[in-house]
Amino acid sequence: MPSSTTLPVLTLPEPLVLLPTARLQLSLDEAAGTRLIELVQRSEVQLVIGTVSCSSSSGLHPWGTAARVVRVVRPITRSSQRIYHITLHGLSRIYYPDSASAGTVKPNELIELRAEYPKTDGSPSPETVAPFRAAASKLLESLAQDATQQSRRDVYVKISHMIEEVSDDRTPWMADVIVAGINKVEYNDKLDYLSAVGPDDRLRRATELFVKQASITEVTKKIAQSIDESLSKQQKEFFLRQQLTAIQRELNNLNRSSPGSPTPDGPPGSRSSSGSELDDNEQSDAEDMAEIRSKIEAMAKNSEERKMAVREWKRLQRIPSGSVEHGVIRNYLEWITSVPWSSSDAYASASSDKLKDRTFLFNARKQLDEDHYGLERIKKRLIEYLAVVRLKQLQAEREAPSSDHTLALVPATPPPNSKSDGDSSPRRAEGDATSGALALISKALNFRPSVGSEAQIKGVPENKEAPVIPTPAPTPSDQMPKRGAASKAVKGPILLFVGPPGTGKTSLGQSIARALHRPFQRISLGGVRDEAEIRGHRRTYVASGPGSIVQALRKAGRPDPVILLDEIDKVGQSNYHGDPAAALLEVLDPEQNHSFNDHYINVPIDLSQVLFICTSNSLETISAPLLDRCEVVQLSGYTYDEKIHIANKFLLPKQLKANGLSPAHVTLTQSALLHVATHYTREAGVRSLERAIGAVVRYKAVEWAEYSDSTGITDIAQLPSVESQKKGQGKLYKRIVEEHELEKILGIARWDEEELHREERRGLVYGLVVTGMGEGGILPIETSAVPGTGQLKLTGSLGEVIKESGELALSWVKSHAYELYITKQRSQDPLKVPDPIDIHLHLPSGAVKKDGPSAGIAMTCAFVSLLTGACVPSHIAMTGEVTLRGRVGPVGGIKEKVLGAHRAQVTKVILPWANRKDVEHDVPLEIRAEMQFVFVRTMEEVLEAAFGKGVLNWRSNMVVMESRL
């Protein structure tokens, strides 16, 4: 009967199984490790515990192993969790009769279980020992052959010798050693072997495992061998196909070099018309390489880009086509040959014909007027630039003939080894085609034929006397690459259009490109946070490429495009990727961008002929060095009159075309357009106006479609009158959209007339503001007196500057309270006499941040109105900075503020005297004719203009006598 005892048992997680004679190392958490240490310290001899495999599906296994605890270590770590490493040595099999009733147990836990030690006495029979020895020897021999390390191979050989020498009684122990040492035995097979108690049963199951593992190893070898054979066959086939492709490419090059040799698919030099353009055949690849070569030869002599391209071409010829570096170099050659280099004569006269036309400026002005309504100052600046471009181009062409070098007569001596076409017969193809083609390429890249050799290639016999050809005398300037006439043109200015969204900044750039007959490219800089997006990545990086500037030049195809750098104020800040704004400094500097260096191209690129146009919504986020390189052009908001013209001329026809209608289908009255602009949009630009007009047009499109389907009338010219439609009692369709129909089409007006219904009350003054999107408007400044201790309370999400303006205004009012009859004595505080009060100043729209000094005079007037009882009329608005002495300082955004006041039907505006020039230059004449402008220098003038002459009583200037002893 087996002996029974209670042991501490450690549950092992799947797929760990501890077999007798084996060692196992694992980690325990703090609870299990602490308990194990307590057991070790409590035991007088070396502690023996039980192990059992624990799986999530079947729970505890009934068979386990009694193991001796060899070592318990707690490593020193920075982690807060304490982990213990233990080492166990398997001794014998044990059986757990209570494993089924143990309940839910987690792995790596110490539990108490009753364990029984089965009896393993007896010797195995010879019928089981012989198959075991044979199967074990075969498996160990196979493992020794597959072992990559010599030490492991020696271990397998030693164990194989031990199997032959060990006695039959020790074979069960040897089976445990081998099964525990094989790592590829499955989890269930190990558990099945662990449950074998008798010697014959253990040997039998071990033999089955060894046969199974030997079979698996043999099958794996066969599969690996077949895969290796297949791969070697594919590599051989790939190598042969590459050789065939190279031979065919060289033969095609030789056939193409002969002027009278037609190709099988068409005329010489023409791409095959059969098949799809997506087919990657050898001929197309050869033609692509020939195109790259021709572009390299077309580059200017001795130029940096030509030297770099020739050097990379030579490297490309030496690298196998299957190499990764081959694709990298070819990609670089495609980029460097596709950039329009200004040193090339191919782009010298790209736009000179248009500039010679006498109607160039007239057509440019006409183009700008057709694309944009208003914006006279911007158009004036652009016409100035175009006029300078034309004059510089004409001046360069006049100076070109006088600067030519004197021609010298030089005999065109042919090269000594040159041969005529008569010698280059088809017999050349009898040699090595590949070496011949490579020789031609090397000759073309390393040797430049003279004028005589060119004449000889064209068919001049060798034995005849070479003609005398005029050749320019060599000068030091001939060593440098010649640049075309375009390089002498005026440098493009860096224009920065600043204005609210929807004011036409991007479309202005397109109009300039059309007026100049140049290609237009747009680069969006919003959110760009990596310097490499401007300068490109270096070629050492994987999947590197040029920056957005070089990509725009490649798309344009000319060295003098119009490039729009959109949203330059939204460029990402400096980070570990670099500073994109700093990278733009070189691009936008006219004194430096003639040698712009892209990290990928790594050759100086001339950007001096490029007309850069930048757009921005504000100037606050643009760095000072970048802003210093730009010529700022302000685009303020449109007036209502300008919006009506833009809607009639541009927006309505555009929406009609986009929605499948003609101008005869829909007509918006002037009053309807004005109502849409004033009540359904509130912006400085026209984007919301365009969306509202588009909604009206789509509504009429639905009406016309339903009417056409019900009546069968498809031609708008056949539409009967409204009276005739009413008589038919069917669906109606009206071409004209009236103002009263807009609420049915667009819904309730988004913007009511709260600005128009202003009230005149004590302590209320209207100031002028500019919103964050560049739109102007009016803002009420409300003040109220409440019981208190003479304090000033400011609310409305105010910034520090506007808070200081409020304190300055109150200080000025206190210092002049006696002159304004607010107090009876100079020493009295108007907030404490006769009754102590607090003044609460509030600016509505509390969720909107407000800051700036321009509300100073409005706050002062509000305080004066509150303390004197006089009211400022509601048709008056004002803006200006106030000083402690009562001086009125200039402010910005005058045009936006005046336009906002005009939209709110304010008829009188009080402005600082220093902003008089801004009104005369920026505010349209029709706006100035409808409004009254009062320019002031001091607060006394402000109060008189705001309250009216004689409304506020001022004490006469009294001489204060001071007694002196």
Side-chain angles (χ1 to χ4, degrees), residues 848-865:
V848 180
K849 296 290 184 181
K850 309 172 188 68
D851 204 359
S854 60
I857 64 173
M859 291 181 176
T860 307
C861 291
F863 291 146
V864 172
S865 173

Side-chain angles (χ1 to χ4, degrees), residues 614-651:
C614 307
T615 67
S616 171
N617 296 127
S618 64
L619 299 177
E620 284 74 13
T621 57
I622 302 177
S623 62
L626 186 60
L627 188 61
D628 182 64
R629 286 163 168 78
C630 302
E631 180 178 347
V632 180
V633 179
Q634 293 283 349
L635 277 78
S636 303
Y638 295 106
T639 64
Y640 283 135
D641 186 45
E642 291 174 339
K643 287 186 178 182
I644 299 304
H645 279 84
I646 293 172
N648 285 322
K649 190 175 181 180
F650 301 103
L651 304 183

